Amino acid sequence: MSKALEVSNLTVAYGEIAAVRAVSFTVEAGEIATIIGANGAGKTTILNALCGLRDVRAGSIVLGGEDITALPPHERVRHGLSQVPEGRRLFGRMSVAENLEIGAYARSDHAARKHDLDHVLELFPRLRERYRQLAGTLSGGEQQMVAMGRALMAAPKVLLLDEPTMGLAPQIVDLVSDAVRRVNDEGVTVLLVEQNAYSALEIADRAFVLESGEITLTGNGPDLITHPRVRSAYLGYDA
Amino acid sequence: MSFNAVTSSFKVARRRKSPLAETLQIGALAGLAAIGFALIGAYVAMDKRHVVEDTLTLSQIAYALMAIAAGFVAGRDTQGRPSGSRIVLHGALTGLVAGLCVSALMLLMASVSLRSTLVAASPMLTKALSLGAPIGSLQALAQVPILGALLGMIGGVFAAMPSRYRRALTCGFAIVLIAGLFRDVFVSVLDNVPDFNGPEAEVFGSGGLNRVPALVLLVAGGIFALLRDRWNAGHNPARRARSSKAGLVLLLVGVLILPLVTNDFVAQVAMLVALYMLMGMGLNIELGLAGLVDLGFVAFFAVGAYTVALMCSSGPLALVDVSFWVALPVAVVLAAGAGMLFGLPVLRVRGDYLAMATLGLGEIIRVLVLSDALAPYLGGSQGIIEIDHPRIFGVSLQSPAALYYLALALAGVVAFISWRLQHARIGRAWLAMREDEDVAQALGIDPVASKLLAYTIGAAFAGAAGAVFAALVGSVYPHSFQLLVSINVLAILVIGGLGSLPGVLVGAIVLIGLPELLREFGEFRYLFYGIALVAMMHMRAEGLWPATTRTKENARA
Ligand SMILES: Nc1ncnc2c1ncn2[C@@H]1O[C@H](COP(=O)(O)OP(=O)(O)O)[C@@H](O)[C@H]1O
Ligand SMILES: [Mg+2]
């Protein structure tokens, strides 16, 4: 298998304080990887650094063999990286259709875009009903579908998801997890960040535990579910 | 946002007071407003304008509205509590207090000479406030509070009556006010109707409406509003949306035939409105669509104007003497180029810094044009004169009406381009950038490039406006390019509704057209702007004619 994403020695700081310290990890093409960690561990910071929304202090980011560390955010999209941001951050005053369209902003191939749009609407049939509605007026679950659809419209090779199940009802959580798995089955590499560790670990081929800006444990998902430290710290079992 | 939070917390605090104290406070506030209105000289100035001939002047109406508004607010705040009579009583009390404040001012002016510090505290003011009673008499002092109480009571009744009738009265009154205020415009229209001998002499007096027609209009307006209400109640929103479209069409038709049916003065005012619309649409691209706060907008207006001046003048400073139609595209391109050159370094900064930097640019251009170093080329404070009028098919466009159509045609072109841009890919990108810059970037939108494009297009539109301005006026001077121009344009957008094209039209009519037509407003123009802006923030923060996305959102929310 080839490496889809290779992060080495990534250090990101807010002012003097390093929120992410010398983090290295690799995601193989076609797999689902997950970073789990408590609130404030630095998960969002890592994803934003990958997208170029945070300057990195040290380290490198290699996407599909190409070093993208120095690229501005809008060019990273063209290299096949897109993110479903924490808290969804839809364009609330645009319709669902417009949100999806703008997801494909970086692409010019009209036919392929149309194809992907149909695909997204097939993945989330609910969005077809809500197609002309303003995104800001949707329910939380529907908004999450739009956020995922928007990111998929960029036709990413690697999809980053930041806590996609946050604040959702259990059956919607399942729906989102299923969608992630389906997208992955179609060949998109996924890097999933969660506090809600169980649902993430269940579907992950590879998992990293992030604590205070450092990776402290690595393994495959199902193995980590049974790991005593993970069980006590993230899954709420007594050790 | 924070402003709203402050005012609403203020309201909560106010509610806890006893109703009487509250009523007195409202009355005192209205009284203070009335005193301020008199002491800045507005009362005397607007007293010359008769809305209803020999019966009601504009300042009397302003005072009456203050009392009625105070009574209305007092009445509304006591509602839910006891009976209608109490509401009316509170209304009367506020009016009385407000009137007493004005009487106090009259007493003060009679006993102390305020004139050395407050020029407006003149005998003319005393005379105007006495309403024909002997100056300084008890009658003069007593009648204002009595009138105030009566009007306040009317305000209270107003608060207590069903909103249907309230709307009807407001509509009737607004029609009378408009007809009276714009007497000159209407008379000029009626003058142009052939075989229709002098109906204006019966409807209008020398300064405003005659009494009987005023009454007829009041009643007719009221009945119209009642009928419209009934009609609206029976129809669905889609139907109503269509009637708002009809409103737009009507407005456009009015705009098109305006100079034909009125006189040169009105055409000239309309020309100015069209010019500001051009600029407004330019700034609308920057601020309304891309969210860039630009306070130096006038700079590009100046570039366009001076380009045409240098290329089309028959005076000594002209570089060439070509047709306006050659100079116009050059002006647009140069203004766009200036926008791009300046935007490149400046657009990397965010928000407030951008406002500051552009503010500087506006001033730099003006100072440059004024400077001695450039005087041999740009004429310094003497400006450039003898700019040729544009010609079409060999006909020189000279009359205000012809020039108005020129400005309007350009405004139409610019409106079309704006509309296309707004609904194109780039328009989406601007909207996305404005809503969430980080996410927009992460989706592939180049922030600097898209902002630069907005800034450049906005500058190009401003350049077109400047070019038209030079051709309309026939001369350019540095003092035409002050910061105030930028601020006027900004105010137009805010009043009309950010990001809305019809809003630009409405804003330009309200902020540029009305003050020009009402000469008395001239020196109080910025006061009027201030009041209008604050009132808008409170009552209609989205503007008079908001952009559609906002209304849709409101409808669904
Ligand atoms: N904009 C910011 N400025 C300063 N500190 C920040 C900022 N964003 C996050 N942090 C800090 O960085 C650390 C990691 O935050 P974050 O990446 O959001 O964690 P997570 O996504 O795992 O909850 C936290 O200690 C947080 O307080
Ligand atoms: Mg986070």
Side-chain angles (χ1 to χ4, degrees), chain A residues 32 123-124 141 144-145 148 164-183 192 194 196-203:
Chain A
I32 298 180
L123 195 62
F124 302 114
Q144 189 61 52
M145 296 175 201
M148 280 186 71
T165 62
M166 187 167 55
L168 299 184
Q171 68 267 37
I172 309 280
V173 170
D174 290 345
L175 201 151
V176 168
S177 291
D178 282 350
V180 171
R181 226 177 319 202
R182 269 191 66 186
V183 167
L192 171 66
E194 276 290 5
N196 180 356
Y198 195 86
S199 72
L201 291 175
E202 248 184 346
I203 59 173

Side-chain angles (χ1 to χ4, degrees), chain A residues 14 19 37-46 54 86 162-163 195 210:
Chain A
Y14 297 104
N39 197 7
K43 307 179 296 293
T44 299
T45 303
I46 290 180
R54 284 277 160 219
E86 184 174 5
D162 196 344
E163 304 204 30
Q195 254 188 90
L210 188 71

Side-chain angles (χ1 to χ4, degrees), chain B residues 271-324:
Chain B
M271 187 172 91
L272 204 63
V273 169
L275 195 68
Y276 268 94
M277 267 176 64
L278 264 176
M279 282 198 278
M281 286 187 282
L283 189 61
N284 189 47
I285 301 267
E286 294 179 14
L287 181 65
L289 300 187
L292 304 172
V293 182
D294 182 359
L295 295 179
F297 198 65
V298 69
F300 310 117
F301 181 67
V303 170
Y306 269 93
T307 306
V308 165
L310 288 172
M311 291 179 71
C312 302
S313 163
S314 38
L317 289 174
L319 299 176
V320 287
D321 193 355
V322 297
S323 140
F324 172 76

Side-chain angles (χ1 to χ4, degrees), chain A:
Chain A
M1 266 206 266
S2 68
K3 292 179 175 114
L5 183 67
E6 209 178 351
V7 175
S8 338
N9 276 317
L10 185 72
T11 300
V12 187
Y14 297 104
E16 287 300 298
I17 305 149
V20 171
R21 271 169 276 152
V23 163
S24 302
F25 62 91
T26 304
V27 182
E28 301 286 339
E31 72 178 1
I32 298 180
T34 181
I35 301 178
I36 61 172
N39 197 7
K43 307 179 296 293
T44 299
T45 303
I46 290 180
L47 291 197
N48 282 344
L50 295 182
C51 287
L53 296 173
R54 284 277 160 219
D55 289 337
V56 305
R57 180 150 296 179
S60 69
I61 303 161
V62 176
L63 182 75
E66 261 181 292
D67 191 330
I68 60 165
T69 321
L71 291 183
H74 64 270
E75 281 178 28
R76 296 188 192 200
V77 188
R78 291 179 173 78
H79 284 76
L81 191 68
S82 79
Q83 184 184 181
V84 181
E86 184 174 5
R88 309 184 264 275
R89 291 171 76 168
L90 297 181
F91 301 115
R93 280 164 45 185
M94 294 188 201
S95 66
V96 169
E98 289 169 326
N99 268 281
L100 294 179
E101 254 169 63
I102 214 150
Y105 187 83
R107 302 164 63 196
S108 47
D109 182 347
H110 194 77
R113 267 162 55 181
K114 178 84 185 67
H115 173 267
D116 285 354
L117 180 61
D118 289 340
H119 188 64
V120 165
L121 292 178
E122 187 195 324
L123 195 62
F124 302 114
R126 272 286 264 292
L127 297 187
R128 212 184 277 279
E129 296 160 31
R130 300 272 182 263
Y131 201 55
R132 295 283 160 207
Q133 194 168 327
L134 292 187
T137 63
L138 300 178
S139 74
E142 291 164 344
Q143 289 200 1
Q144 189 61 52
M145 296 175 201
V146 178
M148 280 186 71
R150 184 177 69 180
L152 287 172
M153 286 301 291
K157 295 193 195 96
V158 177
L159 178 67
L160 311 176
L161 296 128
D162 196 344
E163 304 204 30
T165 62
M166 187 167 55
L168 299 184
Q171 68 267 37
I172 309 280
V173 170
D174 290 345
L175 201 151
V176 168
S177 291
D178 282 350
V180 171
R181 226 177 319 202
R182 269 191 66 186
V183 167
N184 176 249
D185 285 344
E186 284 150 10
V188 178
T189 308
V190 171
L191 176 58
L192 171 66
V193 153
E194 276 290 5
Q195 254 188 90
N196 180 356
Y198 195 86
S199 72
L201 291 175
E202 248 184 346
I203 59 173
D205 301 301
R206 186 188 300 257
F208 312 99
V209 176
L210 188 71
E211 286 174 301
S212 308
E214 291 178 53
I215 289 183
T216 52
L217 261 181
T218 306
N220 67 30
D223 280 357
L224 282 195
I225 289 184
T226 56
H227 193 285
R229 256 183 52 210
V230 174
R231 283 174 71 91
S232 69
Y234 303 105
L235 300 176
Y237 296 101
D238 292 328

